[in-house]
Amino acid sequence: SIFRTQKLYTLESIIPTLLVLEKDKEAISYYGIYEKLNPTDDDLDTKATKTLVTYAYIRTKNYDKALEISKETNNLYQQAKIYVEINDLDKAKETVEKIFSTKTQSKLPYLYVAQIQLKEGYPNSAHNSIDKLLKVKPTHIDALKTKAKIFEDYRRLLEDKTIDAIMIATPLNEHAHITIEALQAGKHVF
């Protein structure tokens, strides 16, 4: 009926907006309504909507549902991301190989390669893989996050022998003791 089509169209408009606003739980809730309407590939933007809502499931760490939808839409990029997230590195590698076998021009698979390499303990290889993506997309946020080392505790950073210099970007009252400890650890401080 026309009402079903109108409902699908409305939901296909709402879900992307919610995702942009990072209201993932709301997007997932609306997707539940969407699924009850039994959308088919003949309907408006079914595949696009499913592809988008998969990101909400990934961000909320509902990897089973994300994987189910990404397989349904045959989105190898999302599958690779999910496999990396859940540490199924063998499946991640297999999926990345499938992506490369499609002769893709995209450099995005190198992000997943780098994440796999980091998890396997090959940081130098990971940096080389990330550089391949950053050459064509120098501001790709996930690539930059993967390349940067992020520490929850600055003392772990000071223990890392591969880091020569640090920049302190903490509240002013924390600068002195971090600077002293960094200099004692042999780091250049900025």
Side-chain angles (χ1 to χ4, degrees):
S1 81
I2 185 125
F3 297 114
R4 179 184 171 281
T5 303
Q6 286 176 325
K7 288 177 187 176
L8 284 172
Y9 178 75
T10 301
L11 291 166
E12 288 172 347
S13 300
I14 291 170
I15 291 170
T17 303
L18 291 170
L19 292 171
V20 167
L21 297 172
E22 295 186 10
K23 296 186 175 201
D24 297 323
K25 290 180 181 174
E26 290 91 338
I28 290 168
S29 176
Y30 278 104
Y31 182 70
I33 297 167
Y34 183 82
E35 279 186 308
K36 288 177 185 172
L37 295 171
N38 296 315
T40 66
D41 289 340
D42 295 333
D43 289 316
L44 304 167
D45 290 325
T46 303
K47 186 173 182 181
T49 302
K50 288 180 177 186
T51 298
L52 288 173
V53 83
T54 302
Y55 289 110
Y57 283 111
I58 291 170
R59 290 194 305 221
T60 59
K61 301 188 184 324
N62 186 340
Y63 298 118
D64 291 335
K65 186 66 174 177
L67 196 55
E68 174 189 322
I69 298 170
S70 66
K71 286 180 176 179
E72 186 180 319
T73 59
N74 197 31
N75 190 318
L76 294 175
Y77 291 89
Q78 288 179 330
Q79 290 172 42
K81 181 177 182 64
I82 295 163
Y83 287 131
V84 169
E85 290 287 325
I86 64 174
N87 288 315
D88 190 338
L89 302 184
D90 290 334
K91 289 226 180 182
K93 289 178 193 176
E94 180 182 315
T95 305
V96 169
E97 286 301 318
K98 285 181 189 174
I99 294 170
F100 281 125
S101 73
T102 66
K103 306 288 190 243
T104 181
Q105 296 299 310
S106 171
K107 299 295 184 197
L108 186 57
Y110 287 109
L111 173 63
Y112 308 126
V113 169
Q115 291 170 337
I116 292 165
Q117 291 165 329
L118 281 174
K119 289 181 180 234
E120 292 181 329
Y122 302 109
N124 293 335
S125 298
H127 282 272
N128 292 336
S129 296
I130 283 296
D131 286 341
K132 291 176 183 176
L133 173 56
L134 290 174
K135 281 181 185 174
V136 292
K137 289 193 172 197
T139 59
H140 191 285
I141 193 71
D142 288 334
L144 292 169
K145 284 180 186 177
T146 300
K147 186 160 181 153
K149 287 188 177 181
I150 299 172
F151 295 89
E152 296 290 325
D153 183 337
Y154 76 93
R155 290 171 289 223
R156 300 297 80 78
L157 176 143
L158 298 179
E159 294 168 359
D160 189 329
K161 302 296 182 203
T162 65
I163 296 175
D164 296 324
I166 65 167
M167 178 177 289
I168 300 175
T170 61
L172 291 175
N173 63 330
E174 295 181 15
H175 279 226
H177 74 90
I178 293 174
T179 300
I180 291 167
E181 289 179 48
L183 292 170
Q184 287 173 339
K187 308 292 183 198
H188 299 282
V189 179
F190 299 94

